[in-house]
């Protein structure tokens, strides 16, 4: 995860050296970065959840954890759509 975040940041920095207006015109990039931020926060939340489950019985229902399992799939779909379609 860290290698991906670092190299992604370096790619953004390198592209800004070529196209200074990248962040002014690339609304899709803002949306993509927001979804990536959600994915990183989600990853840390899952780490906390795993530690909590290791210490005690689940505080939430099985349905909650099944729904929680689908969050990264939805985020990745949004990220890929932003990159390929560039809707705005």
């Amino acid at each position: 995860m860290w290698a991906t975040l670092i190299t992604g940041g370096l790619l953004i920095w390198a592209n800004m050296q070529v196209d200074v207006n990248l962040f002014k015109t690339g609304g899709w990039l803002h949306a993509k970065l927001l979804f990536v931020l959600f994915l990183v926060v989600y990853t840390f939340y899952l780490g906390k959840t795993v530690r909590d489950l290791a210490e005690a019985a689940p505080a939430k229902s099985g349905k909650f954890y099944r729904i929680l399992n689908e969050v990264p799939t939805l985020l990745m779909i949004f990220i890929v759509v932003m990159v390929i379609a560039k809707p705005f």
Side-chain angles (χ1 to χ4, degrees):
M1 177 180 81
W2 293 111
T4 302
L5 290 175
I6 290 169
T7 56
L10 288 172
L11 281 171
I12 290 171
W13 178 78
N15 281 330
M16 286 182 63
Q17 302 303 313
V18 174
D19 183 10
V20 181
N21 295 321
L22 179 67
F23 272 99
K24 293 179 184 174
T25 60
W28 65 271
L29 182 61
H30 293 96
K32 175 196 161 199
L33 291 175
L34 180 66
F35 289 130
V36 169
L37 177 66
F38 288 157
L39 195 57
V40 169
V41 170
Y42 173 79
T43 301
F44 285 112
Y45 174 72
L46 283 185
K48 179 190 175 306
T49 303
V50 167
R51 286 189 301 276
D52 291 346
L53 287 173
E55 293 175 3
K60 301 195 169 137
S61 70
K63 184 177 182 180
F64 171 79
Y65 292 111
R66 285 192 298 273
I67 292 171
L68 192 66
N69 187 48
E70 301 307 321
V71 171
T73 303
L74 294 174
L75 287 172
M76 291 303 296
I77 289 170
F78 289 135
I79 290 169
V80 170
V81 166
M82 287 298 125
V83 171
I84 296 196
K86 296 181 183 173
F88 43 88

